[in-house]
Amino acid sequence: MKLVVQVKLQPTAEQASTLEATLRACNTAANEVAEVARRARVYRNYDLRKHAYAGIKADHRLGSQAAQHVIKKVCDAYKTLASNLRAGNYGPPDAKRYRRVFTEPVRFRWQAAQPYDARMLSWQHDARTVSIWTVAGRMKDIAYTGSPDQLKAVAELPVGECDLVHRDGMWLLYATVEVAEATPVEPAGFLGVDLGIMQIATDSDGTVYAGEQLNRYRRRQIRLRAKLQAKKTESARRLLAKRARRESRHATIVNHVISKSIVAEAERTSRGIAVEDLTGIRARVRLRKPQRAALHSWSFAQLGGFLTYKARRAGIPLIQVDPRYTSQTCSTCGHRDKRNRPDQATFICRSCGVVAHADVNAAVNIAARGVDGWGAVSRPHVA
């Protein structure tokens, strides 16, 4: 299993200047390749090399590997763009935004990530330095640091491709490492996890993760964003971008904590994890304006990804189930009625009269569907 580990480079002023020149050259070349690809309608890696490789290598002092990575980066960007267009993320085909991104070449900021492979970057773990290719030649003895877990990962695990990034005044390396997966266990039941807007996650044991305190933080960020957006000044736009990065980091930390707690509880009780399949939730859900802001201010896909890889590392089975009617169905008697949920937090069954927290009730239903789904998956096939 592949994981991404972030380490922070600590270059001298001269080294930082060379790294900046390298990123600028690579991303300027990427913009040129993107224009060539759009003009020639060529988006496959090996086909695009015939049009762009020799030119960018000579014009921007790129090495062979760097030039190939620039072209592949452009192809990957167009592949992602095509997926977003098919998914409707830029509106319908007749929308102005759709037409613009469909016809114009993709653009790369100067500090956008540049991939490095083992021939372009090497690690000296004892000295805690890296040797890295630049437009000025091989640059050695660039110090790096990180948390103990990050340093241990890059020192002990096989390291694959790395990305050099300049972000918020820092030089970072994102290293892809290979992690051994634990042997999957046969679960003794499932821990159901209900993901929601007001409560980010609630499990079938009744534990609520990141509740009111986090909601207060999210509401405050929404108010601050509205004030800055109303100013419509250049400084306000810079502050909005800075605040967006801060919110993203906060959400990532909270999602790590939530997913780690859920996986630890499932591992402690020898259970699997059942979660809702929330694919396309933003397009499906119809909410009032205040709720829409809350829905779009949280990364449920990121939380699902964290749950998936942490569960795989621990050998915990994880299964996605159909989320339909889990909040309207009584987990005790199975009676389904939309009136069973009179408000966001309360569940009152109109058949058996059971009263429960609405999210806990939904999580119990998800756990039951996890058991049924696991039985269908693990059942031997009979020809």
Side-chain angles (χ1 to χ4, degrees), residues 301-362:
Q302 184 189 66
L303 176 56
F306 288 170
L307 276 172
T308 300
Y309 93 77
K310 291 180 192 295
R312 286 177 62 187
R313 287 191 69 179
I316 301 297
L318 184 143
I319 190 168
Q320 291 186 327
V321 303
D322 187 347
R324 288 180 294 182
Y325 309 119
T326 53
S327 62
Q328 300 177 9
T329 303
C330 178
S331 58
T332 301
C333 70
H335 175 69
R336 192 186 86 197
D337 192 328
K338 63 181 180 181
R339 296 174 297 174
N340 283 349
R341 192 168 182 175
D343 56 53
Q344 189 277 328
T346 309
F347 183 90
I348 304 174
C349 181
R350 299 180 70 86
S351 175
C352 68
V354 70
V355 179
H357 189 286
D359 293 335
V360 175
N361 176 79

Coordinates of all heavy atoms in Angstrom, one line a residue, residues 301-362:
A301 N -14.9 13.2 1.4 CA -14.1 12.3 0.7 C -12.8 12.1 1.3 O -12.3 10.9 1.3 CB -13.9 12.8 -0.8
Q302 N -12.2 13.1 1.9 CA -10.9 13.0 2.6 C -11.1 12.1 3.8 O -10.2 11.2 4.0 CB -10.4 14.3 3.0 CG -9.0 14.3 3.6 CD -8.6 15.6 4.2 OE1 -9.2 16.1 5.2 NE2 -7.6 16.2 3.6
L303 N -12.1 12.3 4.6 CA -12.4 11.4 5.7 C -12.6 10.0 5.3 O -12.0 9.1 6.0 CB -13.6 12.0 6.5 CG -14.1 11.1 7.7 CD1 -12.9 11.0 8.7 CD2 -15.3 11.8 8.4
G304 N -13.3 9.7 4.3 CA -13.5 8.4 3.8 C -12.1 7.8 3.3 O -11.9 6.6 3.6
G305 N -11.3 8.6 2.7 CA -10.0 8.1 2.3 C -9.1 7.7 3.5 O -8.4 6.7 3.5
F306 N -9.1 8.6 4.5 CA -8.4 8.3 5.7 C -8.8 7.0 6.4 O -8.0 6.2 6.8 CB -8.4 9.5 6.7 CG -7.7 10.7 6.2 CD1 -7.8 11.9 6.9 CD2 -6.8 10.7 5.2 CE1 -7.1 13.0 6.5 CE2 -6.1 11.8 4.8 CZ -6.3 13.0 5.5
L307 N -10.2 6.8 6.5 CA -10.7 5.6 7.1 C -10.3 4.4 6.3 O -9.9 3.4 6.9 CB -12.2 5.7 7.1 CG -12.9 6.4 8.3 CD1 -14.4 6.5 8.0 CD2 -12.7 5.7 9.6
T308 N -10.3 4.5 4.9 CA -9.9 3.4 4.1 C -8.5 2.9 4.3 O -8.2 1.7 4.5 CB -10.2 3.7 2.6 OG1 -11.6 4.0 2.4 CG2 -9.8 2.5 1.7
Y309 N -7.5 3.9 4.2 CA -6.1 3.4 4.3 C -5.7 3.1 5.7 O -4.9 2.1 5.9 CB -5.2 4.5 3.7 CG -4.6 5.5 4.7 CD1 -3.6 5.2 5.5 CD2 -5.1 6.8 4.7 CE1 -3.0 6.2 6.4 CE2 -4.6 7.8 5.5 CZ -3.5 7.4 6.4 OH -3.0 8.4 7.2
K310 N -6.3 3.7 6.7 CA -6.0 3.3 8.1 C -6.5 1.9 8.4 O -5.9 1.1 9.1 CB -6.5 4.4 9.1 CG -5.8 5.7 9.1 CD -6.4 6.7 10.1 CE -5.9 8.1 9.8 NZ -4.5 8.3 10.1
A311 N -7.7 1.6 7.9 CA -8.3 0.3 8.1 C -7.5 -0.8 7.4 O -7.3 -1.8 8.0 CB -9.8 0.3 7.6
R312 N -7.0 -0.5 6.2 CA -6.2 -1.4 5.5 C -4.9 -1.7 6.2 O -4.4 -2.9 6.3 CB -5.9 -0.9 4.1 CG -7.1 -1.0 3.1 CD -6.7 -0.4 1.8 NE -5.7 -1.1 1.1 CZ -5.1 -0.7 0.0 NH1 -5.5 0.4 -0.6 NH2 -4.1 -1.5 -0.6
R313 N -4.3 -0.7 6.8 CA -3.0 -0.8 7.5 C -3.2 -1.7 8.7 O -2.3 -2.5 9.1 CB -2.5 0.5 7.9 CG -1.8 1.3 6.8 CD -1.1 2.5 7.3 NE 0.1 2.1 8.0 CZ 1.0 3.0 8.6 NH1 0.8 4.3 8.5 NH2 2.1 2.5 9.2
A314 N -4.4 -1.6 9.4 CA -4.7 -2.4 10.6 C -5.3 -3.7 10.3 O -5.5 -4.5 11.2 CB -5.6 -1.6 11.5
G315 N -5.6 -4.0 9.0 CA -6.2 -5.3 8.7 C -7.7 -5.4 9.0 O -8.3 -6.4 9.2
I316 N -8.3 -4.2 9.1 CA -9.8 -4.1 9.5 C -10.6 -4.0 8.2 O -10.4 -3.1 7.4 CB -10.0 -2.8 10.3 CG1 -9.2 -2.9 11.6 CG2 -11.5 -2.7 10.6 CD1 -9.5 -4.0 12.5
P317 N -11.5 -5.0 8.0 CA -12.4 -4.9 6.8 C -13.2 -3.6 6.8 O -13.8 -3.2 7.9 CB -13.3 -6.1 6.9 CG -12.6 -7.0 7.8 CD -11.8 -6.1 8.8
L318 N -13.4 -2.9 5.7 CA -14.2 -1.8 5.6 C -15.1 -2.0 4.4 O -14.7 -2.3 3.3 CB -13.4 -0.5 5.4 CG -14.2 0.8 5.4 CD1 -13.4 1.9 6.1 CD2 -14.5 1.3 3.9
I319 N -16.4 -1.7 4.6 CA -17.4 -1.9 3.6 C -18.3 -0.7 3.5 O -18.6 -0.1 4.5 CB -18.2 -3.2 3.8 CG1 -19.1 -3.6 2.6 CG2 -19.1 -3.1 5.1 CD1 -19.7 -5.0 2.7
Q320 N -18.6 -0.3 2.2 CA -19.6 0.8 2.0 C -21.0 0.2 1.7 O -21.1 -0.8 1.0 CB -19.1 1.6 0.8 CG -17.8 2.4 1.0 CD -17.5 3.3 -0.1 OE1 -17.8 3.0 -1.3 NE2 -16.9 4.5 0.2
V321 N -22.0 0.9 2.3 CA -23.3 0.4 2.2 C -24.2 1.5 1.6 O -23.9 2.7 1.7 CB -23.9 -0.1 3.6 CG1 -23.0 -1.2 4.2 CG2 -24.0 1.1 4.5
D322 N -25.4 1.1 1.2 CA -26.4 2.0 0.6 C -26.9 2.8 1.8 O -27.5 2.3 2.7 CB -27.5 1.2 0.0 CG -28.5 2.1 -0.8 OD1 -28.4 3.3 -0.6 OD2 -29.3 1.5 -1.6
P323 N -26.8 4.2 1.7 CA -27.2 5.0 2.8 C -28.7 5.3 2.8 O -29.2 6.0 3.7 CB -26.4 6.3 2.6 CG -26.3 6.4 1.1 CD -26.2 5.0 0.6
R324 N -29.4 4.9 1.8 CA -30.8 5.3 1.6 C -31.7 4.8 2.8 O -31.7 3.6 3.2 CB -31.4 4.8 0.3 CG -30.9 5.5 -0.9 CD -31.5 5.0 -2.2 NE -31.1 3.6 -2.4 CZ -31.4 2.9 -3.5 NH1 -32.2 3.5 -4.4 NH2 -31.0 1.7 -3.7
Y325 N -32.5 5.7 3.4 CA -33.5 5.5 4.4 C -32.9 5.1 5.8 O -33.6 4.7 6.7 CB -34.5 4.5 4.0 CG -35.1 4.8 2.6 CD1 -34.9 3.9 1.6 CD2 -35.8 6.0 2.4 CE1 -35.5 4.2 0.3 CE2 -36.4 6.3 1.2 CZ -36.2 5.4 0.1 OH -36.7 5.7 -1.1
T326 N -31.5 5.1 5.9 CA -31.0 4.7 7.2 C -31.4 5.7 8.3 O -31.5 5.2 9.5 CB -29.4 4.7 7.2 OG1 -29.0 6.0 6.7 CG2 -28.9 3.6 6.3
S327 N -31.7 6.9 8.0 CA -32.1 7.9 9.0 C -33.6 7.8 9.3 O -34.1 8.4 10.2 CB -31.7 9.3 8.6 OG -32.4 9.7 7.4
Q328 N -34.4 7.1 8.4 CA -35.8 7.0 8.6 C -36.3 5.7 9.1 O -37.5 5.5 9.5 CB -36.5 7.3 7.2 CG -36.3 8.7 6.6 CD -36.9 8.8 5.3 OE1 -37.7 8.0 4.9 NE2 -36.6 9.9 4.6
T329 N -35.4 4.7 9.2 CA -35.7 3.3 9.6 C -35.4 3.1 11.0 O -34.3 3.4 11.5 CB -35.0 2.3 8.7 OG1 -35.3 2.6 7.3 CG2 -35.4 0.9 9.0
C330 N -36.3 2.5 11.8 CA -36.1 2.1 13.2 C -35.1 1.0 13.3 O -35.3 -0.1 12.7 CB -37.4 1.8 13.8 SG -37.2 1.3 15.6
S331 N -34.0 1.1 14.0 CA -33.0 0.1 14.1 C -33.5 -1.0 15.0 O -32.9 -2.1 15.1 CB -31.7 0.7 14.7 OG -32.0 1.3 16.0
T332 N -34.6 -0.8 15.8 CA -35.2 -1.8 16.6 C -36.2 -2.7 16.0 O -36.1 -4.0 16.0 CB -35.8 -1.2 17.9 OG1 -34.8 -0.4 18.6 CG2 -36.4 -2.2 18.8
C333 N -37.2 -2.1 15.3 CA -38.3 -2.9 14.7 C -38.2 -2.9 13.2 O -39.0 -3.6 12.5 CB -39.6 -2.4 15.2 SG -40.1 -0.8 14.6
G334 N -37.5 -2.0 12.6 CA -37.4 -2.0 11.1 C -38.4 -1.1 10.4 O -38.5 -1.1 9.2
H335 N -39.3 -0.4 11.2 CA -40.3 0.4 10.6 C -39.7 1.6 10.0 O -38.9 2.3 10.6 CB -41.4 0.8 11.6 CG -42.4 1.7 11.1 ND1 -43.4 1.3 10.2 CD2 -42.6 3.1 11.4 CE1 -44.1 2.4 9.9 NE2 -43.7 3.4 10.6
R336 N -40.1 1.9 8.7 CA -39.6 3.1 8.0 C -40.7 4.1 7.7 O -41.7 3.8 7.2 CB -39.0 2.6 6.7 CG -38.1 3.7 6.0 CD -37.7 3.3 4.6 NE -38.7 3.6 3.6 CZ -38.7 3.1 2.4 NH1 -37.8 2.2 2.1 NH2 -39.7 3.4 1.5
D337 N -40.4 5.3 8.1 CA -41.3 6.4 8.0 C -40.5 7.7 8.1 O -39.8 7.9 9.1 CB -42.4 6.4 9.0 CG -43.6 7.3 8.7 OD1 -43.3 8.4 8.1 OD2 -44.7 7.0 9.0
K338 N -40.7 8.6 7.2 CA -39.9 9.9 7.3 C -40.4 10.7 8.5 O -39.6 11.5 9.0 CB -40.1 10.7 6.0 CG -41.5 11.2 5.7 CD -41.5 11.9 4.4 CE -42.9 12.4 4.0 NZ -42.9 13.2 2.7
R339 N -41.6 10.4 9.0 CA -42.0 11.1 10.2 C -41.3 10.6 11.5 O -41.5 11.2 12.5 CB -43.5 11.0 10.3 CG -44.3 11.7 9.2 CD -45.8 11.4 9.3 NE -46.1 10.0 9.2 CZ -47.3 9.4 9.4 NH1 -48.3 10.2 9.7 NH2 -47.5 8.2 9.2
N340 N -40.6 9.5 11.3 CA -39.9 9.0 12.5 C -38.8 9.9 13.0 O -38.3 9.8 14.1 CB -39.2 7.6 12.1 CG -40.1 6.5 12.1 OD1 -41.3 6.6 12.5 ND2 -39.7 5.3 11.5
R341 N -38.4 10.9 12.1 CA -37.4 11.8 12.5 C -38.0 13.2 12.5 O -37.9 14.0 11.5 CB -36.2 11.7 11.5 CG -35.0 12.5 12.0 CD -33.8 12.2 11.1 NE -32.6 12.8 11.6 CZ -31.3 12.7 11.1 NH1 -31.2 11.8 10.1 NH2 -30.3 13.3 11.6
P342 N -38.5 13.6 13.6 CA -39.2 14.9 13.7 C -38.2 16.1 13.6 O -38.6 17.2 13.2 CB -39.9 14.9 15.1 CG -39.1 13.9 15.9 CD -38.6 12.9 14.9
D343 N -37.0 16.0 14.0 CA -36.0 17.0 13.8 C -34.6 16.4 13.6 O -34.5 15.2 13.5 CB -36.0 18.0 15.0 CG -35.7 17.2 16.3 OD1 -34.7 16.5 16.4 OD2 -36.5 17.4 17.3
Q344 N -33.6 17.2 13.5 CA -32.3 16.7 13.1 C -31.7 15.7 14.1 O -31.1 14.8 13.7 CB -31.3 17.9 12.9 CG -30.0 17.6 12.3 CD -29.0 17.1 13.3 OE1 -29.0 17.4 14.5 NE2 -28.1 16.2 12.9
A345 N -31.9 16.0 15.4 CA -31.2 15.2 16.4 C -32.1 14.0 17.0 O -31.5 13.1 17.6 CB -30.8 16.1 17.5
T346 N -33.4 14.0 16.7 CA -34.3 13.1 17.4 C -34.9 12.0 16.5 O -35.3 12.3 15.4 CB -35.4 13.8 18.1 OG1 -34.9 14.9 18.9 CG2 -36.2 12.9 19.0
F347 N -34.9 10.8 17.0 CA -35.6 9.7 16.3 C -36.7 9.1 17.2 O -36.3 8.7 18.3 CB -34.6 8.6 15.8 CG -35.3 7.5 15.0 CD1 -35.3 7.6 13.7 CD2 -35.8 6.4 15.7 CE1 -35.9 6.6 12.9 CE2 -36.4 5.4 14.9 CZ -36.5 5.5 13.5
I348 N -37.9 9.1 16.7 CA -39.0 8.5 17.5 C -39.8 7.6 16.5 O -40.4 8.1 15.6 CB -40.0 9.6 18.1 CG1 -39.2 10.6 18.9 CG2 -41.1 8.9 18.9 CD1 -40.0 11.8 19.4
C349 N -39.7 6.3 16.8 CA -40.4 5.3 15.9 C -41.9 5.4 16.1 O -42.4 5.3 17.3 CB -39.9 3.9 16.2 SG -40.7 2.7 15.1
R350 N -42.6 5.6 15.0 CA -44.1 5.7 15.1 C -44.8 4.3 15.2 O -46.0 4.2 15.3 CB -44.6 6.5 13.9 CG -44.1 7.9 13.8 CD -44.6 8.6 12.6 NE -46.0 8.9 12.7 CZ -46.5 10.0 13.3 NH1 -45.7 10.9 13.9 NH2 -47.8 10.2 13.4
S351 N -43.9 3.3 15.2 CA -44.5 1.9 15.3 C -44.3 1.3 16.7 O -45.2 1.0 17.4 CB -43.9 1.0 14.3 OG -44.3 -0.4 14.4
C352 N -43.0 1.3 17.1 CA -42.7 0.7 18.4 C -42.5 1.7 19.5 O -42.3 1.3 20.7 CB -41.5 -0.3 18.3 SG -39.9 0.6 18.0
G353 N -42.3 3.0 19.1 CA -42.2 4.0 20.1 C -40.8 4.2 20.7 O -40.6 5.1 21.6
V354 N -39.8 3.5 20.1 CA -38.4 3.7 20.6 C -37.9 5.1 20.4 O -38.2 5.7 19.3 CB -37.5 2.7 20.0 CG1 -37.2 2.9 18.5 CG2 -36.2 2.6 20.8
V355 N -37.2 5.7 21.3 CA -36.7 7.0 21.2 C -35.1 6.9 21.2 O -34.6 6.2 22.1 CB -37.1 8.0 22.3 CG1 -36.5 9.4 22.1 CG2 -38.6 8.1 22.3
A356 N -34.5 7.6 20.2 CA -33.0 7.4 20.1 C -32.4 8.7 19.5 O -33.2 9.5 18.9 CB -32.6 6.2 19.3
H357 N -31.1 8.9 19.6 CA -30.4 9.9 18.9 C -30.5 9.5 17.4 O -30.2 8.4 17.0 CB -29.0 10.0 19.4 CG -28.3 11.2 18.8 ND1 -27.8 11.3 17.5 CD2 -27.9 12.4 19.4 CE1 -27.2 12.4 17.3 NE2 -27.3 13.1 18.4
A358 N -30.9 10.4 16.5 CA -31.1 10.1 15.1 C -29.8 9.6 14.5 O -29.9 8.6 13.7 CB -31.6 11.4 14.4
D359 N -28.7 10.2 14.7 CA -27.5 9.7 14.1 C -27.0 8.4 14.6 O -26.5 7.6 13.8 CB -26.4 10.8 14.3 CG -26.6 12.1 13.6 OD1 -27.4 12.1 12.6 OD2 -26.1 13.1 14.0
V360 N -27.2 8.1 15.9 CA -26.9 6.8 16.4 C -27.8 5.7 15.8 O -27.3 4.6 15.4 CB -27.0 6.8 18.0 CG1 -26.7 5.4 18.5 CG2 -26.0 7.8 18.6
N361 N -29.1 6.0 15.7 CA -30.0 5.1 15.1 C -29.6 4.8 13.6 O -29.6 3.6 13.2 CB -31.4 5.7 15.1 CG -32.4 4.8 14.4 OD1 -32.9 3.8 14.9 ND2 -32.7 5.2 13.1
A362 N -29.2 5.8 12.9 CA -28.7 5.6 11.5 C -27.4 4.8 11.5 O -27.3 3.9 10.6 CB -28.5 6.9 10.8

